[in-house]
Amino acid sequence: MSDRELDSWAGAWQSNVPDLGPLRKRAAREGLWLRVIVANDALGSLGCLAVAVWFVLDEPDLLRLVIAGGLAALGALGCVFTMQNWRGLWQDGAASVRDYLAQARARSAARLRWIRLGGWLLAAEMMFFGAVIAWRWQAGVDPGKAGRALVLLLVLCIAAGIFVGWLLRRERRNAAGLERMAAEIERET
Amino acid sequence: MSREHRQQQFEQVLADHGPALARLAAAYERRPALREELLQDIAVALWQALPSFRGDASMKTFVLRVATNRAMTHLARRPPPTAGLDEAVDLPADGPSPEVAADVASRNARLMRAVEDLPLPMKQVMSLALEGLPPSDIAAVLGLSESNVGVRLHRAKAKLRAALVNTHE
């Protein structure tokens, strides 16, 4: 083994000069797209808060206050999740790859916690709304409307469940990938 | 940092280190479509990270660190398939004549494939060493001690040598 050997490999390696023509454009487009996604997430959270405020101001009663509280909580949660999720984009200049991996694992664990919390909050809200609608139905308060609301709630439950399940599965795979890599690297250290 | 200055710096970084980034992406991702995706992710990460460059290390070290970080994220999300893919490495090589160029391209492709096949800890060290980073910089990039880098590089060299001999036979 000699340094000449490594130098010769390095020479061969560096003689590969790929064409990077479209990379600049694609990077600029992707950078813009990321900003659009972040702005979209933030707008979604703000939208939740705006609807919550409107619910309270429009016709304040106890049920609307509870709905507004739930929406505000979801909006705030979404906001924090967005920050947590996207903060990683600005941490690529971490001091070392080891630090970066540690940060990535911590971020992934935090994302998993937020997704679970969001899922439980959604489930609690759905159960609350389901109970209120069922109670109104039983009491005979506009039964047609209550029936439609129950169907709508069921559809919402299924959609929310699928979405939260998809987020969880995606994040668990990511976390497992990070753990596997960290273990592989640690074995060599 | 103004947007214009950042744009200029980004263009300069891509001009100076773009080929190194593409080679690094190729070392971590064999599948062509995903390699393109990784390269794009690296470029975006670099754009985001440039304002944090303080000049503590050389720009090359900084760029390769950002690229390696992004490659780790990529590998966590899209682990390489367990069964080996038999896709040609399509990075073009310079060469003076078609025959020599073909020979050089073939050797380079074998080298590229052998680096791709290294276990992750060795690949991290070898991909940076092949870009000409000294062990002290590799240690700083990876967050390891220099002696650990030396050990990994030694093992990586042995594996690479064996792989190149095997593919040549």
Side-chain angles (χ1 to χ4, degrees):
Chain A
M1 184 195 70
S2 67
D3 281 336
R4 241 187 296 167
E5 184 180 38
L6 185 60
D7 289 344
S8 122
W9 288 339
W13 177 264
Q14 290 175 30
S15 68
N16 288 310
V17 184
D19 175 27
L20 291 167
L23 181 63
R24 289 170 186 78
K25 268 189 190 167
R26 279 191 283 125
R29 203 172 52 223
E30 187 71 11
L32 186 68
W33 181 235
L34 283 175
R35 280 175 165 67
V36 169
I37 293 174
V38 173
N40 187 49
D41 285 356
L43 277 177
S45 299
L46 282 177
C48 269
L49 294 175
V51 171
V53 170
W54 173 74
F55 251 66
V56 173
L57 294 181
D58 183 52
E59 204 177 310
D61 66 17
L62 188 61
L63 180 62
R64 283 182 161 242
L65 268 176
V66 173
I67 294 173
L71 277 172
L74 268 183
L77 199 68
C79 226
V80 176
F81 178 74
T82 300
M83 297 289 288
Q84 184 75 30
N85 200 19
W86 295 103
R87 209 173 50 183
L89 284 176
W90 286 270
Q91 289 182 347
D92 284 285
S96 70
V97 173
R98 179 178 261 199
D99 292 343
Y100 179 81
L101 262 180
Q103 283 174 7
R105 287 163 74 189
R107 279 203 311 273
S108 179
R111 274 199 299 268
L112 268 175
R113 279 198 302 274
W114 284 112
I115 293 169
R116 285 198 192 104
L117 181 61
W120 283 117
L121 185 63
L122 261 175
E125 287 197 29
M126 299 287 183
M127 280 173 70
F128 174 78
F129 293 143
V132 170
I133 295 168
W135 172 73
R136 286 197 168 191
W137 199 12
Q138 288 255 316
V141 185
D142 202 351
K145 201 174 166 185
R148 282 196 300 277
L150 264 183
V151 172
L152 186 67
L153 188 69
L154 188 68
V155 172
L156 264 176
C157 273
I158 293 169
I162 290 172
F163 180 63
V164 172
W166 173 77
L167 274 180
L168 262 178
R169 185 167 174 268
R170 186 167 165 263
E171 198 49 52
R172 278 188 184 139
R173 282 175 66 179
N174 185 42
L178 285 168
E179 292 303 324
R180 192 184 54 244
M181 251 179 356
E184 192 179 347
I185 291 169
E186 282 307 314
R187 265 201 306 275
E188 279 287 322
T189 306
Chain B
M1 183 188 283
S2 74
R3 191 178 169 79
E4 210 167 287
H5 179 233
R6 191 173 169 190
Q7 182 71 39
Q8 276 176 0
Q9 197 180 15
F10 181 63
E11 291 282 335
Q12 191 58 50
V13 164
L14 281 190
D16 294 345
H17 307 292
L21 295 178
R23 289 190 290 268
L24 196 125
Y28 283 101
E29 181 53 78
R30 179 177 296 177
R31 297 160 286 186
L34 291 180
R35 188 192 312 149
E36 285 289 304
E37 187 185 301
L38 171 57
L39 186 55
Q40 187 170 302
D41 285 352
I42 289 173
V44 174
L46 208 50
W47 167 262
Q48 308 284 11
L50 267 181
S52 68
F53 177 64
R54 300 277 172 262
D56 304 333
S58 71
M59 181 54 94
K60 184 178 183 179
T61 304
F62 176 78
V63 163
L64 289 174
R65 185 175 67 210
V66 170
T68 309
N69 284 344
R70 190 44 53 173
M72 295 301 105
T73 306
H74 177 87
L75 283 183
R77 288 188 184 145
R78 301 176 190 279
T82 44
L85 288 178
D86 207 20
E87 286 161 350
V89 175
D90 56 359
L91 294 178
D94 293 336
S97 73
E99 294 79 19
V100 174
D103 186 43
V104 168
S106 158
R107 265 190 295 140
N108 289 354
R110 280 204 311 274
L111 176 65
M112 185 67 80
R113 170 60 62 88
V115 173
E116 281 172 10
D117 287 340
L118 285 174
L120 181 62
M122 294 181 202
K123 192 191 306 193
Q124 285 181 325
V125 172
M126 185 51 84
S127 60
L128 296 172
L130 290 175
E131 288 300 340
L133 284 199
S136 56
D137 283 7
I138 296 175
V141 166
L142 297 178
L144 301 171
S145 65
E146 270 192 63
S147 60
N148 198 257
V149 168
V151 170
R152 283 196 199 183
L153 196 55
H154 179 73
R155 289 182 189 159
K157 274 180 181 175
K159 262 201 174 286
L160 201 54
R161 197 181 308 124
L164 288 173
V165 168
N166 284 342
T167 53
H168 193 61
E169 281 167 357

